[in-house]
Amino acid sequence: MESGAALCPQCGALQPCDPSLSLFAILGLAEGFVIDPAALRSAALERLRAVHPDRFAQADGRTQRQSLEWTTRLNEAQAVLSDPLRRGDYLFSRHFGQSALGEEMGSLRDPEVLMRQMERREALEEAAAVRDQVALERLRAEAHAEEKQIEEQLAASFTAPEAGRIAPLLQEWQYLRKFLAEIDQYEERWDFA
Amino acid sequence: MALLQIAEPGQSTAPHEHRLAVGIDLGTTHSLVATIRSAQPVVVRDSEGRYLLPSVVQYRADGTVRVGEEARAEAAADPHNTIASVKRLMGRGAEELQTLAGALPYRVLAGEGMVRLQTAQGEKTPVEVSAEILRVLRQRAEESLGGELTGAVITVPAYFDDAQRQATKDAARLAGINVLRLLAEPTAAAVAYGLDKGAEGLFAIYDLGGGTFDLSLLRLQKGVFEVLATAGDAALGGDDMDRLIAEQILAHFAEQGDSSPAWHRQVLLAARAIKERLSSLEEASVELVLPGGKAVQWHLRREQLESWIEPVIRRSFAPCRRALRDAHIRPEEIDGVVLVGGATRVPLLRRLVAELFGREPLCDIDPDQVVALGAAIQADALVGNQSDDLLLMDVLPLSLGLETMGGLVEKIIPRNTPIPVAKAQEFTTFKDGQTAMSIHVLQGEREKVEDNRSLARFSLRGIPPMVAGAARIRVTFQVDADGLLAVSAEESSTGVRAEVQVKPSYGLDDAAITRMLREAIAHGKEDIEQRRLAEARVEGERVREALDSALAQDGSLLQPDERARIDAARAELLHALGSDSAAAIEHAAGAVEKAAEVLVERRMNQAVRKAMAGHSIDEWSEK
């Protein structure tokens, strides 16, 4: 079956989901770092409409299982490809056989980047200690701005992929994500206290 | 009708059969059922025109079960056997009840696993109690729609965890309902708004029910309902407002009151009544009968009430902000806020929610009905009655994780991940020749195992013996469209499929469900037997009365031996009426009628003769 067609073009019956299809192929999208979010969304919605378990609520067990597999896979594709960090790492693993964020790749070594992260963390702890919501917002905005920069650098790097250039960018982005999650956690803790 | 139907491509070309499907809102305080009639979602009413069924079940000492209004009326008089707000107990363990706000008047049995309540009819689990409510709704729907249900969509709070969802599904199974889908309540409300009111854009659904709070953020776009994030509190609701008011009443009457469950029930009902009245009035009062028997009026102003219940409303705001953060949405980006649940009628709540989101909330559709109406729309689509494409995409409300070293939880699927979702995790053995391993699945956001919900413990057996670390056991966690988790495992290096034994921490295993189903069916047989007996008694009594009056008037028409035969049959019937056998009564009544045939015949002749007296036969035959 080509391009991940879920339904038989002749009879409209649900076909088994081929696990070897890439997340791009399953959505019928060209493989690459730069993606049009609107095209991704409409591709996913169109396919989800065809295979979603709601369409097969009355079907036999086998068809229901296939529908579940397809929908699960489409959800995964949408989740991974709509997030530029996860999309980048997925592409990295397609090129180089493993994730840039796993233990095997080691961690960030660039002292300049590490220093920036440390300063950032100190600023967060200071703001958190006095519950400075304004400072928290500023740190969040700065981290978002850096995410944008990394995204642009990645887009350029993926035109001629080199593991040594791409992995540190993905790793730095991962740091930023953890940092942003920590900001959220502080806010949540204050909220629920 | 059939003439107008045109087959859509990809659909069956057979004449379209309309299947009966309903949406059921199984609520903490009320439950209701809705369906689609003439392309419009409508609530289904009982023979007296009521659509809200109080979620109250009374197990009576005589073996009968009362559900709804009748049960609620008995709540104060029979607090131990009258179960209200059972939804709060779904999928929970006895040790958790302390953390559920407020004391419950039921006799909760100690022990592991799901809560069990001691009633006049023995131990009952919340699943069985809920099944009684669902059974009544199913019956109501089948009577109103005139046929057997194909299936139902049952709504659950978005923030219900796996154990609570599973318990709800089990209850439906016990009630003989085919569950087409478990649907999150705010999502159901969004469907009703999206399709009926044509709402499009980003919506916040604020759903404060009797005992649960949900906030869901959805993107609505031409038949697509996409949940972006959901947050809530599975133990926060309008009941909490009632309880705070009740505490004030109890404190006020501390000297005249007592600690009896009956007095507490009365105060709780009064608290709810005055809260409802103060939604439209500035001041109101309720009558209370003190334990001593003295009736008093208790007066309250809205301002005072608002100061008591404001903390409950404020508690709902932290989950609201969490959902906004998770979805990366600022309040000003939201196109509309929809209010769901009876508790959102409180004016203070509307003011505070408007402040939080910076816009007036919508409540065009009755907040008591909107969830059931939305569920009915989806049910109709699921059984294939609708051709317009409806696509509902929901999320996992709470993170799923596994216990790791040191009693900590490692998250494997984070909250707000779209469902269905699957995640595989690899495990390895830590001892040489290890052939089994046990895994503990948890749900929640906290770091320590004991702060999260234990969903299940399972063991993997049949791992081929290898050196430590060589085995690769791939465990797959699959969450389906109902938000329910299934686990499977495989040893990757050899392909041996490891056996998974899941022991739900708070659920019922299949054996328990089967036993309950069997009991329910046996009980159904008993019910039929009871009805037959009651009917036989009525008929037997009628026969006896008719005979006695005939004998009193015309006993003289009988010969002594005929009279003796009738008297013997009559004595048999009296004896049978004193028994509990429908068959014996039916048989004896039949014997009386047979023995009395001669009397019936003579009376008939006598009546004819009387009527004809003074007339000639010719006269009659001309007429």
Side-chain angles (χ1 to χ4, degrees):
Chain A
M1 180 126 342
E2 278 177 20
S3 72
L7 303 180
C8 167
Q10 271 83 48
C11 65
L14 193 60
Q15 301 301 303
C17 182
D18 177 0
S20 70
L21 286 176
S22 80
L23 298 181
F24 289 99
I26 204 168
L27 288 174
L29 298 172
E31 190 157 332
F33 183 72
V34 179
I35 228 172
D36 172 10
L40 170 65
R41 183 173 150 81
S42 68
L45 286 183
E46 183 198 327
R47 284 163 173 77
L48 280 167
R49 270 188 201 281
V51 304
H52 195 275
D54 282 0
R55 267 199 61 147
F56 301 97
Q58 305 271 48
D60 60 281
R62 186 164 161 267
T63 307
Q64 287 193 344
R65 204 171 48 252
Q66 284 174 354
S67 152
L68 182 65
E69 283 170 12
W70 270 106
T71 311
T72 299
R73 189 92 174 120
L74 286 170
N75 276 339
E76 186 193 355
Q78 202 185 6
V80 171
L81 300 188
S82 64
D83 174 354
L85 171 57
R86 295 181 72 183
R87 182 168 72 233
D89 192 47
Y90 177 69
L91 266 179
F92 185 91
S93 67
R94 298 268 298 163
H95 282 293
F96 307 108
Q98 61 185 337
S99 161
L101 307 173
E103 286 167 15
E104 300 84 355
M105 292 297 295
S107 54
L108 271 182
R109 275 178 228 106
D110 185 342
E112 209 178 299
V113 173
L114 286 173
M115 188 57 83
R116 260 211 311 276
Q117 302 299 348
M118 240 152 71
E119 284 168 6
R120 203 193 304 276
R121 179 137 292 124
E122 271 168 29
L124 173 60
E125 275 161 22
E126 273 169 36
V130 293
R131 288 202 176 194
D132 185 345
Q133 187 73 44
V134 177
L136 229 58
E137 281 304 334
R138 199 184 53 238
L139 288 167
R140 184 183 270 142
E142 282 169 14
H144 281 315
E146 281 195 41
E147 282 191 294
K148 271 272 155 265
Q149 282 179 14
I150 296 177
E151 185 173 353
E152 280 161 22
Q153 291 172 23
L154 276 174
S157 302
F158 269 115
T159 52
E162 270 175 58
R165 253 185 74 74
I166 295 174
L169 286 171
L170 291 171
Q171 288 165 359
E172 190 184 347
W173 199 340
Q174 176 87 330
Y175 264 100
L176 283 171
R177 281 291 168 83
K178 282 187 188 150
F179 180 76
L180 283 164
E182 261 173 71
I183 295 181
D184 283 356
Q185 274 166 19
Y186 274 116
E187 283 187 350
E188 202 169 311
R189 239 172 281 156
W190 298 343
D191 238 354
F192 283 84
Chain B
M1 188 66 186
L3 288 174
L4 294 174
Q5 241 124 35
I6 295 158
E8 298 275 333
Q11 284 198 333
S12 160
T13 48
H16 195 109
E17 178 196 358
H18 190 85
R19 300 188 181 93
L20 301 181
V22 295
I24 295 177
D25 176 358
L26 185 60
T28 308
T29 43
H30 292 105
S31 298
L32 65 152
V33 53
T35 191
I36 303 293
R37 270 204 190 110
S38 318
Q40 285 299 315
V42 287
V43 294
V44 178
R45 291 168 193 272
D46 68 4
S47 54
E48 287 171 54
R50 300 174 295 197
Y51 68 88
L52 288 178
L53 177 73
S55 302
V56 185
V57 175
Q58 185 198 15
Y59 291 98
R60 295 161 64 85
D62 65 5
T64 56
V65 177
R66 281 186 179 172
V67 180
E69 216 61 74
E70 292 77 11
R72 186 163 71 174
E74 300 283 321
D78 186 18
H80 293 315
N81 300 310
T82 309
I83 318 296
S85 296
V86 68
K87 189 171 179 178
R88 285 187 172 231
L89 308 182
M90 291 293 268
R92 302 220 175 238
E95 80 281 8
E96 283 178 288
L97 293 197
Q98 278 76 32
T99 62
L100 295 176
L104 297 163
Y106 321 127
R107 287 181 285 233
V108 177
L109 294 163
E112 285 199 354
M114 184 179 281
V115 173
R116 287 167 301 135
L117 305 170
Q118 183 67 50
T119 74
Q121 294 181 29
E123 287 178 21
K124 298 288 171 191
T125 63
V127 169
E128 290 166 281
V129 178
S130 298
E132 296 290 351
I133 298 167
L134 288 169
R135 220 168 267 143
V136 171
L137 293 175
R138 176 187 154 198
Q139 212 171 355
R140 181 186 285 184
E142 290 185 340
E143 273 165 21
S144 169
L145 303 176
E148 205 171 308
L149 290 186
T150 302
V153 168
I154 299 181
T155 61
V156 290
Y159 212 54
F160 253 19
D161 62 32
D162 184 82
Q164 293 168 306
R165 282 168 197 250
Q166 191 61 59
T168 305
K169 205 170 181 181
D170 289 343
R173 255 169 89 191
L174 266 186
I177 294 172
N178 171 31
V179 181
L180 299 165
R181 183 75 69 238
L182 294 179
L183 178 62
E185 287 159 11
T187 309
V191 169
Y193 268 89
L195 294 188
D196 193 42
K197 300 286 167 200
E200 294 229 327
L202 273 183
F203 280 77
I205 316 288
Y206 181 102
D207 180 358
L208 189 65
T212 55
F213 170 67
D214 283 326
L215 188 281
S216 285
L217 296 170
L218 287 105
R219 187 166 11 185
L220 273 58
Q221 186 191 22
K222 295 188 190 73
V224 179
F225 298 80
E226 189 182 3
V227 179
L228 302 175
T230 195
D233 188 334
L236 174 69
D239 284 6
D240 295 289
M241 297 183 188
D242 301 347
R243 207 153 19 234
L244 288 171
I245 302 163
E247 275 168 22
Q248 297 286 342
I249 303 179
L250 287 172
H252 187 264
F253 292 105
E255 284 173 23
Q256 296 108 304
D258 60 18
S259 61
S260 70
W263 166 240
H264 278 238
R265 272 295 172 109
Q266 194 201 148
V267 167
L268 208 50
L269 291 176
R272 175 174 306 161
I274 204 152
K275 178 191 74 179
E276 286 169 6
R277 270 170 229 170
L278 288 177
S279 285
S280 52
L281 302 170
E282 285 298 326
E283 47 192 296
S285 51
V286 281
E287 194 180 87
L288 287 159
V289 180
L290 295 170
K294 190 178 150 214
V296 289
Q297 289 286 324
W298 191 69
H299 190 81
L300 189 65
R301 295 179 53 79
R302 189 192 280 177
E303 268 169 37
Q304 183 66 66
L305 172 105
E306 291 184 341
S307 72
W308 294 337
I309 63 174
E310 188 171 334
V312 171
I313 302 169
R314 296 260 175 219
R315 257 176 75 194
S316 74
F317 288 0
C320 292
R321 287 190 285 264
R322 171 198 275 185
L324 288 166
R325 260 196 307 274
D326 282 1
H328 304 293
I329 288 173
R330 291 186 307 276
E332 56 270 26
E333 291 176 81
I334 288 175
D335 296 299
V337 181
V338 171
L339 294 183
V340 183
T344 61
R345 289 203 171 86
V346 172
L348 176 68
L349 185 146
R350 298 193 168 187
R351 282 206 307 278
L352 293 177
V353 170
E355 259 173 50
L356 178 72
F357 290 101
R359 61 178 57 245
E360 283 304 314
L362 302 169
C363 38
D364 314 38
I365 307 181
D366 184 339
D368 282 328
Q369 296 190 6
V370 65
V371 167
L373 297 176
I377 294 170
Q378 202 208 6
D380 203 47
L382 289 178
V383 296
N385 288 337
Q386 294 175 0
S387 58
D388 41 327
D389 271 331
L390 188 65
L391 183 59
L392 269 62
M393 294 183 290
D394 225 308
V395 296
L396 182 71
L398 293 147
S399 304
L400 283 172
L402 294 173
E403 177 167 354
T404 60
M405 296 294 182
L408 297 179
V409 181
E410 185 192 338
K411 284 188 185 146
I412 48 167
I413 306 178
R415 69 175 187 230
N416 289 321
T417 300
I419 52 172
V421 62
K423 181 89 190 247
Q425 190 97 343
E426 281 216 336
F427 294 88
T428 188
T429 47
F430 61 94
K431 273 192 205 149
D432 288 344
Q434 185 180 341
T435 58
M437 118 180 354
S438 90
I439 287 171
H440 188 193
V441 188
L442 298 127
Q443 192 164 24
E445 310 307 322
R446 310 280 294 276
E447 282 174 12
K448 287 193 200 146
V449 165
E450 66 262 32
D451 296 331
N452 292 281
R453 290 277 291 157
S454 167
L455 291 187
R457 288 170 191 279
F458 64 88
S459 48
L460 297 175
R461 295 177 196 290
I463 301 169
M466 286 183 242
V467 292
R472 290 261 172 274
I473 298 116
R474 199 179 153 81
V475 179
T476 306
F477 300 85
Q478 170 83 60
V479 178
D480 67 13
D482 290 330
L484 294 173
L485 173 71
V487 187
S488 60
E490 196 174 27
E491 204 292 305
S492 324
S493 61
T494 59
V496 171
R497 209 161 169 78
E499 186 189 338
V500 185
Q501 289 177 325
V502 180
K503 185 170 170 279
S505 303
Y506 297 102
L508 298 168
D509 52 25
D510 272 354
I513 289 281
T514 310
R515 176 181 56 74
M516 287 175 183
L517 268 177
R518 221 173 20 235
E519 278 171 10
I521 292 163
H523 204 212
K525 265 190 202 144
E526 259 168 50
D527 286 348
I528 293 167
E529 205 44 49
Q530 286 291 334
R531 200 164 46 230
R532 187 176 158 209
L533 177 62
E535 284 167 5
R537 283 220 173 98
V538 170
E539 177 63 12
E541 287 294 341
R542 190 194 62 74
V543 168
R544 186 189 59 78
E545 273 170 31
L547 177 69
D548 286 358
S549 90
L551 285 175
Q553 280 175 30
D554 300 310
S556 57
L557 298 174
L558 294 169
Q559 299 296 322
D561 62 322
E562 290 165 347
R563 173 71 192 228
R565 271 201 296 279
I566 291 176
D567 282 346
R570 184 178 176 281
E572 274 299 311
L573 176 60
L574 285 182
H575 181 74
L577 281 170
S579 80
D580 278 337
S581 165
I585 297 171
E586 286 161 5
H587 184 259
V592 166
E593 287 191 327
K594 184 129 188 67
E597 268 170 11
V598 56
L599 177 60
V600 172
E601 193 186 314
R602 298 231 174 99
R603 293 185 80 203
M604 192 87 83
N605 290 341
Q606 177 180 276
V608 169
R609 270 198 302 278
K610 268 187 192 157
M612 286 170 60
H615 301 277
S616 73
I617 295 287
D618 296 344
E619 221 179 311
W620 286 97
S621 52
E622 275 169 23
K623 292 231 161 142

